[in-house]
Amino acid sequence: MKFTLLNSFLIFFLSIHSITAQNVVTVDSAGVAKENNSSFSVDTSVAKDTIKPFKRFKAEGVASVIGEYVIVEFDIDLSYIELKEQGVAIDEISRCQMLGKLMEDKLYAHHAKLDSLLVPDAEINGRIDQQIQYMVSELGSEEKVAEYYRKESISELRQQLFEVNKTLALATEMQQKITEEVEITPEEVREFFYKIPEDERPIFGAEVEVSQIVIEPQVTKKAEQEVIDRLNEIRAEVVEGGASFATRAVLYSKDGSASKGGLIPGIKRNSPYAKEFKDMAFSLLEGEVSEPFETSFGWHILYVDKIRGQEVDVRHIILFPQVSQSTIDEAKSKVETIRQQIVDGNISFEDAAKTYSDEKETRNNGGKLVNPVTGDTKFDLTKMDPTLGAQVYNLKKGEVSKVYTDRDYTGKSVFKILTVVNRYDEHPADYVKDYEKIQELALKEKKIRAIEKWQDKKIKETYVHVNEDYKDCEFSSNWVKQ
């Protein structure tokens, strides 16, 4: 099947995430899934086969072979279970379409291995730990999880999860390699846009640009020293007393890694962690425990678990200084005074943000927020963070919100005021006003074409066998090599 320009970009980079409810939708290149929050629709009627979900097949019957990978009927059944857990309407997805997506993943993974692309086992095991934790929270125990997925033990399930996650990780690496050098020129963007019939051009939803001022209760030197002293006590228990760092992390650390003994695997020098954290990780020897040190996230001690070439597995314990009620009251009073000065016209919101805001990321930009998804300053009102959206939904342009309390990543209360800098109503795509969005769509469409071209070439070069039960499927790719 050939993609339409409007539909193709929606399908790019969507993939199956195994046995865990994550924020993804599963599609194969036949366009199986729908993007619920989009103004566009995806045609899901591309495979006209009559094979329906959950038709009884021999459990371990081979559906297809791609290079060194074998896809059995159970893999397809398991994919339906995963989709159902994610709330996807599986009745609209045929076994042909599901098999098509699985074959794509195996093709990517097969050639990722041939090209020596690597995914650290520690990274895969970290994902599996999170998946098992989620499944246990949903089903109650590891035994029930193993039973639900028809495995003799949780160890057997872990092994299958490892294989599936490794395949998906390799597939992702291969896709990124295929598209990493794909670029788009202004002329290509222009051609992409004007090829779309005027009545079929995308509709962009209502958007806002928002600025904020953040005032944080100040941490006293006394509270800070108490945290340092506590971390030194824990460090002494490990270094001098022989206590387990992992156990101490479970007991005392205040972030999500605590349940894994503080483990953070596969840190590289370009990993998205605080510079101070990475510097410490790469300055220690294996088995060494750091002195307490500070990042923007809190105070840490760090233990180097394993050094693997240019990657380091570490464990850490993070604590946050306590904030007194008096400093909380002082911060609230300060932000209320700032708000009143803005409302009275004594200072602009932008100048107040530059002068008073405690948020470094937005202060120098006059408090203006950057959309982490798009990289620009516009937020789609239907997709923005619910807490933020609730505060600005009814604000007029230039109006200042009431003071409200939020919590930062440490759980500490902070006080905020917001203003709407600009509002943009829902509108058909405009080449000038929406150039960045159109450029993004054009680039995604070009990347899809690059992947299609790569697929066509590699299918011809790769051993592919499709079971007779699926020979009549109308796959989007030439899997049966007709």
Side-chain angles (χ1 to χ4, degrees):
M1 187 200 88
K2 296 300 181 184
F3 296 92
T4 66
L5 291 174
L6 289 179
N7 290 340
S8 60
F9 78 90
L10 289 173
I11 301 165
F12 183 63
F13 286 151
L14 298 177
S15 62
I16 294 176
H17 277 227
S18 295
I19 316 183
T20 179
Q22 301 188 31
N23 295 324
V24 296
V25 181
T26 304
V27 302
D28 82 350
S29 55
V32 172
K34 295 177 180 176
E35 176 71 40
N36 293 332
N37 293 325
S38 176
S39 301
F40 313 102
S41 62
V42 179
D43 181 5
T44 60
S45 62
V46 294
K48 300 183 177 67
D49 56 273
T50 58
I51 302 174
K52 300 300 181 184
F54 298 115
K55 180 178 178 180
R56 292 193 177 277
F57 286 81
K58 183 180 177 182
E60 294 302 320
V62 174
S64 78
V65 179
I66 308 293
E68 66 184 75
Y69 290 98
V70 177
I71 302 172
V72 298
E73 296 293 343
F74 177 72
D75 294 329
I76 301 175
D77 292 336
L78 188 59
S79 296
Y80 278 114
I81 294 172
E82 295 163 11
L83 291 185
K84 190 173 182 181
E85 286 180 348
Q86 295 176 39
V88 177
I90 60 175
D91 289 342
E92 299 180 9
I93 304 174
S94 72
R95 291 186 77 88
C96 286
Q97 293 170 319
M98 189 66 77
L99 178 60
K101 176 63 178 106
L102 292 174
M103 288 193 293
E104 284 187 11
D105 288 339
K106 304 303 184 187
L107 183 70
Y108 295 134
H110 174 70
H111 285 280
K113 286 187 175 182
L114 293 180
D115 289 357
S116 300
L117 300 184
L118 299 176
V119 177
D121 287 354
E123 180 180 321
I124 303 300
N125 287 324
R127 293 184 195 177
I128 294 170
D129 288 340
Q130 293 177 348
Q131 292 169 353
I132 295 291
Q133 287 172 18
Y134 170 79
M135 290 185 279
V136 169
S137 70
E138 291 293 305
L139 298 176
S141 70
E142 289 188 352
E143 291 74 18
K144 289 182 179 179
V145 170
E147 180 182 355
Y148 182 79
Y149 289 104
R150 293 180 274 178
K151 299 300 175 186
E152 293 294 327
S153 66
I154 200 70
S155 297
E156 184 182 349
L157 178 59
R158 277 182 174 274
Q159 181 58 38
Q160 181 171 8
L161 281 170
F162 183 89
E163 296 302 325
V164 172
N165 277 278
K166 187 82 169 182
T167 298
L168 290 171
L170 286 170
T172 299
E173 288 291 314
M174 192 69 247
Q175 284 186 330
Q176 290 175 349
K177 181 180 179 182
I178 296 165
T179 60
E180 65 186 359
E181 295 184 1
V182 177
E183 296 179 345
I184 196 86
T185 66
E187 179 60 23
E188 287 175 317
V189 176
R190 190 190 68 80
E191 290 179 1
F192 168 83
F193 181 75
Y194 287 108
K195 277 182 184 176
I196 305 172
E198 199 166 331
D199 59 348
E200 294 181 17
R201 287 174 185 167
I203 303 296
F204 293 128
E207 295 177 311
V208 291
E209 289 183 305
V210 179
S211 290
Q212 69 179 17
I213 295 173
V214 179
I215 302 297
E216 302 176 0
Q218 294 301 303
V219 175
T220 65
K221 290 293 183 182
K222 179 183 177 182
E224 200 169 78
Q225 189 59 50
E226 287 174 352
V227 165
I228 296 171
D229 292 343
R230 182 64 184 123
L231 287 172
N232 275 322
E233 289 175 6
I234 297 170
R235 182 179 185 275
E237 291 173 0
V238 175
V239 175
E240 299 170 15
S244 164
F245 191 99
T247 300
R248 292 298 180 272
V250 171
L251 292 172
Y252 304 122
S253 191
K254 300 300 182 182
D255 77 342
S257 70
S259 63
K260 298 181 289 183
L263 180 65
I264 303 178
I267 293 180
K268 302 177 183 178
R269 292 192 181 275
N270 62 349
S271 296
Y273 296 101
K275 180 180 183 298
E276 301 90 342
F277 191 87
K278 290 187 290 185
D279 288 346
M280 185 62 71
F282 284 97
S283 70
L284 300 175
L285 300 175
E286 197 168 293
E288 193 173 358
V289 183
S290 75
E291 300 286 342
F293 66 98
E294 186 181 19
T295 71
S296 59
F297 295 91
W299 281 88
H300 314 249
I301 53 174
L302 186 148
Y303 169 80
V304 174
D305 200 59
K306 187 76 174 176
I307 297 175
R308 295 179 286 103
Q310 298 301 309
E311 293 187 6
V312 183
D313 297 343
V314 304
R315 296 181 186 271
H316 83 131
I317 296 171
I318 182 170
L319 298 179
F320 312 121
Q322 293 297 310
V323 179
S324 67
Q325 186 59 48
S326 61
T327 58
I328 292 174
D329 294 340
E330 185 180 325
K332 186 175 182 181
S333 175
K334 180 180 179 180
V335 73
E336 287 174 342
T337 300
I338 294 169
R339 180 185 183 278
Q340 194 59 51
Q341 289 180 339
I342 296 170
V343 171
D344 291 343
N346 296 327
I347 189 172
S348 69
F349 195 101
E350 180 179 358
D351 288 341
K354 291 178 179 178
T355 304
Y356 300 113
S357 183
D358 290 325
E359 187 174 64
K360 295 178 182 178
E361 294 82 3
T362 61
R363 183 171 57 207
N364 293 333
N365 197 29
K368 190 173 286 188
L369 297 177
V370 174
N371 189 327
V373 177
T374 62
D376 63 20
T377 57
K378 295 178 182 178
F379 290 81
D380 187 324
L381 278 170
T382 64
K383 297 179 182 178
M384 68 192 309
D385 175 82
T387 302
L388 179 62
Q391 296 297 323
V392 303
Y393 190 81
N394 292 317
L395 280 184
K396 298 176 182 177
K397 180 179 177 180
E399 187 179 0
V400 182
S401 73
K402 299 292 185 183
V403 174
Y404 80 99
T405 306
D406 199 1
R407 292 191 180 275
D408 67 9
Y409 43 77
T410 71
K412 181 178 67 177
S413 294
V414 298
F415 299 100
K416 293 183 178 182
I417 53 176
L418 301 162
T419 190
V420 172
V421 179
N422 280 305
R423 279 187 175 272
Y424 304 91
D425 295 331
E426 181 177 280
H427 62 281
D430 180 278
Y431 182 71
V432 176
K433 294 179 180 178
D434 302 306
Y435 181 83
E436 289 81 6
K437 289 187 178 67
I438 295 165
Q439 181 185 47
E440 181 182 356
L441 302 186
L443 179 59
K444 287 182 178 179
E445 193 270 346
K446 189 174 181 180
K447 286 182 176 181
I448 289 171
R449 299 298 177 226
I451 287 177
E452 287 179 339
K453 183 178 179 180
W454 180 91
Q455 267 192 24
D456 289 343
K457 180 175 182 289
K458 294 301 180 181
I459 287 174
K460 294 173 183 176
E461 299 174 357
T462 306
Y463 174 76
V464 176
H465 172 75
V466 179
N467 187 289
E468 289 295 332
D469 290 327
Y470 296 95
K471 285 291 179 70
D472 292 333
C473 291
E474 294 187 11
F475 295 118
S476 60
S477 298
N478 187 25
W479 293 112
V480 293
K481 299 186 177 181
Q482 293 177 339

